[in-house]
Amino acid sequence: MNGPVTETRPVDTEITPELVAAHGLKPDEYERVLALVGRTPTLTELGIFSAMWNEHCSYKSSKRWLRTLPTKGERVIQGPGENAGVVDIGDGLCVVFKMESHNHPSYIEPYQGAATGVGGILRDVFTMGARPIAAMNALRFGEPNHPKTRHLVAGVVAGVGGYGNSFGVPTVGGEVNFHKRYNGNCLVNAFAAGLAKTDAIFYSKAEGVGLPVVYLGAKTGRDGVGGATMASAEFDENIEEKRPTVQVGDPFTEKCLLEACLELMQTGAVIAIQDMGAAGLTCSAVEMGAKGDLGVELDLDTVPVREAKMTAYEMMLSESQERMLMVLRPEKRDEAEAIFVKWGLDFAIVGRTTDDKRFRILWEGREVANLPIMELGDEAPEYDRPHVAPTPRPVLDAASIPAPRDCGAALLSLLGSPDLCSRRWVFEQYDTLIQGNSIQRPGGDAGVVRVDGHPTKALAFSSDVTPRYCEADPYLGGAQAVAECWRNLTAVGAEPLAATDNLNFGNPEKPELMGQFARAVEGIGAACNALSFPIVSGNVSLYNETQGQAILPTPTIGGVGLIEDRRHVARVDTLTEGDVLFLVGQDGTHLGASAYLATIEEREEGAPPPVDLAMEKRHGDFVRTFIRSGAIRTCHDISDGGLAVALAEMCIASDCGAEVDAGEGADHAVLFGEDQARYVVALCEADVAAFEAAAAETSIPVRRLGVAGKDRLVIAGRLDLSIDAMTVAHESWFPSFMSGRIEAAQTA
């Protein structure tokens, strides 16, 4: 054990139980710190342990469950454990992608919280040597009439667009939902994907002793100090006091950092590189050293700063944006530094690798921290928290749910509801076409981006989860989130390759909430295994609750799929007069936990629809085969709102009507039932016979619905609506809400 370290705190600052608790460490965790260090830690050391051992960085409540997820596959190059996952797409190319949360910061300061969430996930991707090509976001807000909701929506959407648009990456898809359980804790989950060469992927494992550790990018300030610790705690009535822990981003600096890093990587100067994300210098340095079984020594007097008289504590815990840490080949220093000078960025040697497995911090000529580097990560607490398996809600018989007196009015209500209305107001604030590779704009089943420079390939991206299903039955909800993401990729003709997850839950110290988490992960794992859809990266966000009220369990799944021939991509907006519409899958029967029940009946009851994963696989593979053959060019998966909403969305997007037969059964069940593993597809009459014959041969249930044409959606005996009426209902809610017209009408 090394000797005592010089104190960094003033002599009158005592490490008290209150100070320990303020750093998010439990008494038994602090006892573990004392045992590892062999003395009372300095304030800087306490801050380092707080950063490394909080939930956000250590995954101490979730690691036990995350290990159960499938992470390997034929195309997987890198699974969880690096800045992002990496999947092979052939021809020497790979896609690098990840999803992460910025929930707490976005509730406190919506613009900067969302903006820096986008910035952080982009850095995770280009740290691996990939150029970002696509972004998505999954957003959850409180009920529309809550006094903070409009403010949060406006700020978050502006932050996402402000950063992504300025940086120059297209936002190709995402989700927006509303529910009262997010009133005190919105969710902002950011996704990014990039392209790299398979022989030019960069990792964060430090190698070699006595090599320079280099600080790259923007200067360090006091913004974001303690941000990771703040993200690992519940909100209370003192939420406004946490505002200083929200980072401030600069997308133009990040764009320069991207170009400088990619140029640097071509020189052979980089041994290891790590984004300074959560916990800043602390986490990046510790992770690089620990992965390489090395120590790291940092001299904070050499760190570029933009504020005067910063303490060692502040520098180590700052989460200032647009920064990287690198282990450099010494002989390449001049060449590397010249690149960063050219791009107007800081380049500073701030330390070196050592062979003693210690993490040493020097400040003002003194050693202010000296800790065992391996134990900072490896010895972080890991809990198998007590959990109570949730009792799934009972299955509701459709006969127990009142049928609508007017099916057309019910459909218009669903199309104009906060959760099912058009998101055009949102996505038109994002640049969806920058880089010139977007094949589909948001609004369809998945975003599609051309693989730049490749003659035929494209990549598809989707983000999915239905929180009301997860609340009703976390296992089925977790499985359904994976299945719907997989289905949305399939619906554009893509082969689903792999997924990333963002697991948003409440306080894991409450057994019933930990039970939700555990069952959802089990459902996710079962679906990923059945669909050969491994999880290669992700994030866990716990403690999403305010004054004891948890969010809905929200395990967001982001997926990536490969399209070998982009000439054959299916869309929702290509319905053409004379097309023959088919239902793939069974007629609707299930209304439990449905959008119909929540919107029309204002009831949140019943079990979610069952998820037959083998059926999902069979139906999806069948549909994808016909998309790739060119026979199916219009396709839409059936999810929220059932068959009627899927048909209406296709008609609105295509400006083409249809006359169909929804099938036998109760009106609301066949129209609005949310049974899984289903698609609506459209074919030319010439392709119908081959389609029906193939379905019969493979025992895939398909039923001819009707024919596209004219300017109305007519569902025989049930509803008759003009495209204009459906479009007005679908497009009106969001702009009316954001302009205040809805609130004014409700008040009047």
Side-chain angles (χ1 to χ4, degrees):
M1 174 64 64
N2 284 31
V5 175
T6 304
E7 286 284 356
T8 66
R9 62 185 188 276
V11 293
D12 59 347
T13 303
E14 183 183 357
I15 302 295
T16 63
E18 292 76 18
L19 189 60
V20 171
H23 281 74
L25 294 170
K26 306 288 187 186
D28 60 321
E29 293 174 341
Y30 182 63
E31 289 300 317
R32 188 191 296 237
V33 169
L34 293 177
L36 284 172
V37 179
R39 53 177 166 74
T40 301
T42 68
L43 184 61
T44 298
E45 289 175 329
L46 182 66
I48 289 170
F49 273 106
S50 170
M52 291 302 301
W53 286 12
N54 65 53
E55 196 73 56
H56 190 77
C57 293
S58 73
Y59 295 92
K60 58 190 176 186
S61 298
S62 58
K63 276 191 288 193
R64 174 249 188 274
W65 296 99
L66 298 179
R67 291 191 190 103
T68 68
L69 293 172
T71 60
K72 299 183 186 302
E74 199 172 299
R75 290 183 178 268
V76 176
I77 295 173
Q78 175 65 52
E82 273 292 338
N83 287 290
V86 185
V87 178
D88 193 344
I89 63 169
D91 298 313
L93 297 172
C94 57
V95 59
V96 180
F97 64 100
K98 189 182 183 184
M99 180 177 274
E100 279 212 346
S101 61
H102 231 218
N103 303 335
H104 284 42
S106 298
Y107 188 80
I108 297 168
E109 205 334 288
Y111 184 94
Q112 289 296 348
T116 52
V118 173
I121 200 65
L122 289 168
R123 285 195 304 279
D124 281 336
V125 166
F126 70 75
T127 301
M128 304 285 292
R131 180 173 291 278
I133 60 165
M136 295 190 295
N137 52 85
L139 313 176
R140 264 89 195 180
F141 301 103
E143 56 194 337
N145 62 3
H146 188 273
K148 282 203 74 168
T149 297
R150 188 185 298 110
H151 162 72
L152 291 170
V153 174
V156 165
V157 171
V160 169
Y163 206 100
N165 296 353
S166 301
F167 178 85
V169 62
T171 299
V172 300
E175 306 171 89
V176 184
N177 289 112
F178 299 86
H179 194 279
K180 62 184 178 182
R181 292 275 289 280
Y182 303 108
N183 279 351
N185 198 131
C186 66
L187 300 185
V188 175
N189 295 171
F191 169 99
L195 272 179
K197 294 181 178 179
T198 54
D199 61 356
I201 301 168
F202 289 82
Y203 298 97
S204 58
K205 177 182 176 182
E207 295 179 358
V209 175
L211 297 179
V213 175
V214 183
Y215 177 111
L216 306 170
K219 289 178 168 58
T220 294
R222 290 188 172 93
D223 50 321
V225 172
T229 301
M230 176 270 290
S232 303
E234 295 181 31
F235 282 155
D236 55 26
E237 66 277 3
N238 300 316
I239 183 174
E240 288 301 318
E241 296 176 6
K242 301 181 188 295
R243 190 172 296 275
T245 61
V246 177
Q247 309 93 322
V248 177
D250 179 354
F252 301 105
T253 297
E254 178 125 329
K255 174 64 172 174
C256 292
L257 182 61
L258 161 71
E259 300 300 342
C261 285
L262 294 184
E263 187 175 341
L264 175 72
M265 289 166 175
Q266 294 177 6
T267 67
V270 179
I271 294 174
I273 189 165
Q274 174 74 39
D275 164 41
M276 282 194 230
L281 263 172
T282 291
C283 198
S284 56
V286 170
E287 287 186 3
M288 290 174 74
K291 285 179 181 177
D293 209 24
L294 295 169
V296 172
E297 181 180 278
L298 297 179
D299 181 356
L300 299 187
D301 295 337
T302 61
V303 170
V305 295
R306 54 180 163 81
E307 298 186 48
K309 297 182 180 179
M310 288 190 70
T311 65
Y313 178 94
E314 290 171 326
M315 281 191 269
M316 291 308 298
L317 270 66
S318 169
E319 293 185 5
S320 294
Q321 298 293 287
E322 294 89 40
R323 302 181 301 160
M324 297 280 192
L325 202 63
M326 171 183 71
V327 177
L328 171 74
R329 297 191 190 280
E331 68 275 14
K332 295 281 188 177
R333 173 182 174 166
D334 291 346
E335 185 179 3
E337 185 170 10
I339 291 170
F340 278 77
V341 169
K342 180 183 74 174
W343 286 100
L345 299 167
D346 279 296
F347 178 101
I349 293 178
V350 296
R352 63 188 182 93
T353 58
T354 64
D355 61 1
D356 59 3
K357 301 181 185 179
R358 305 292 296 180
F359 187 42
R360 289 189 177 85
I361 309 298
L362 305 177
W363 177 65
E364 295 187 343
R366 296 173 291 156
E367 186 180 77
V368 297
N370 188 330
L371 298 170
I373 198 167
M374 304 301 292
E375 285 78 357
L376 277 171
D378 294 347
E379 294 297 321
E382 181 176 338
Y383 299 117
D384 186 1
R385 294 201 183 274
H387 58 281
V388 176
T391 302
R393 292 179 184 169
V395 175
L396 284 184
D397 187 341
S400 69
I401 301 168
R405 284 177 292 180
D406 184 336
C407 292
L411 176 56
L412 291 176
S413 293
L414 284 166
L415 290 172
S417 65
D419 274 355
L420 296 186
C421 70
S422 168
R423 271 61 181 133
R424 187 182 306 278
W425 183 92
V426 176
F427 69 69
E428 285 192 344
Q429 298 190 52
Y430 305 149
D431 194 331
T432 61
L433 300 175
I434 197 166
Q435 299 185 12
N437 292 317
S438 300
I439 293 174
Q440 292 196 22
R441 298 190 69 188
D445 286 311
V448 183
V449 174
R450 181 173 62 95
V451 175
D452 195 17
H454 194 281
T456 64
K457 288 183 177 179
L459 290 165
F461 307 97
S462 182
S463 167
D464 294 283
V465 67
T466 307
R468 64 178 184 275
Y469 291 175
C470 299
E471 175 79 356
D473 185 330
Y475 180 89
L476 283 179
Q480 191 273 342
V482 174
E484 186 173 350
C485 183
W486 188 91
R487 196 161 63 237
N488 279 333
L489 297 172
T490 292
V492 298
E495 173 198 351
L497 298 180
T500 181
D501 58 14
N502 204 145
L503 308 179
N504 307 275
F505 288 81
N507 187 343
E509 297 170 50
K510 297 178 179 179
E512 65 276 13
L513 297 185
M514 193 65 214
Q516 284 183 340
F517 179 87
R519 285 296 283 162
V521 171
E522 289 174 348
I524 290 168
C528 288
N529 276 316
L531 299 172
S532 300
F533 199 40
I535 301 285
V536 298
S537 60
N539 171 246
V540 177
S541 177
L542 303 178
Y543 295 96
N544 287 291
E545 53 184 271
T546 299
Q547 296 185 337
Q549 177 64 65
I551 62 165
L552 292 177
T554 311
T556 309
I557 304 295
V560 175
L562 175 64
I563 297 168
E564 292 285 356
D565 186 347
R566 56 180 178 258
R567 294 175 302 170
H568 300 308
V569 174
R571 308 169 61 103
V572 300
D573 60 356
T574 48
L575 198 60
T576 303
E577 185 166 356
D579 282 351
V580 182
L581 291 159
F582 278 87
L583 169 67
V584 178
Q586 305 291 344
D587 287 329
T589 61
H590 195 96
L591 288 169
S594 66
Y596 173 86
L597 193 63
T599 302
I600 306 301
E601 293 296 317
E602 298 183 345
R603 294 163 56 187
E604 296 186 13
E605 302 173 30
V611 179
D612 184 327
L613 295 167
M615 183 187 297
E616 284 282 2
K617 185 81 166 60
R618 289 197 310 274
H619 293 187
D621 290 348
F622 176 78
V623 168
R624 191 184 312 108
T625 297
F626 273 84
I627 294 173
R628 289 181 169 182
S629 74
I632 294 176
R633 57 187 179 82
T634 308
C635 179
H636 196 10
D637 92 302
I638 299 177
S639 55
D640 286 351
L643 174 64
V645 168
L647 287 166
E649 289 173 341
M650 295 171 78
C651 290
I652 292 168
S654 306
D655 195 24
C656 178
E659 187 168 346
V660 302
D661 178 358
E664 299 295 325
D667 289 348
H668 53 344
V670 296
L671 290 177
F672 308 118
E674 296 179 5
D675 304 66
Q676 301 292 290
R678 300 195 299 159
Y679 305 79
V680 177
V681 301
L683 304 92
C684 296
E685 184 69 56
D687 294 316
V688 165
F691 178 79
E692 290 180 317
E697 185 178 338
T698 53
S699 300
I700 302 294
V702 302
R703 184 171 65 78
R704 184 168 176 148
L705 291 169
V707 179
K710 301 182 181 177
D711 61 355
R712 308 184 71 81
L713 172 60
V714 180
I715 300 181
R718 290 186 164 106
L719 62 83
D720 182 342
L721 293 171
S722 70
I723 294 176
D724 286 346
M726 294 189 297
T727 301
V728 168
H730 195 48
E731 296 287 350
S732 296
W733 187 87
F734 232 114
S736 295
F737 170 63
M738 294 308 298
S739 69
R741 293 197 299 273
I742 286 178
E743 183 181 88
Q746 290 172 340
T747 303

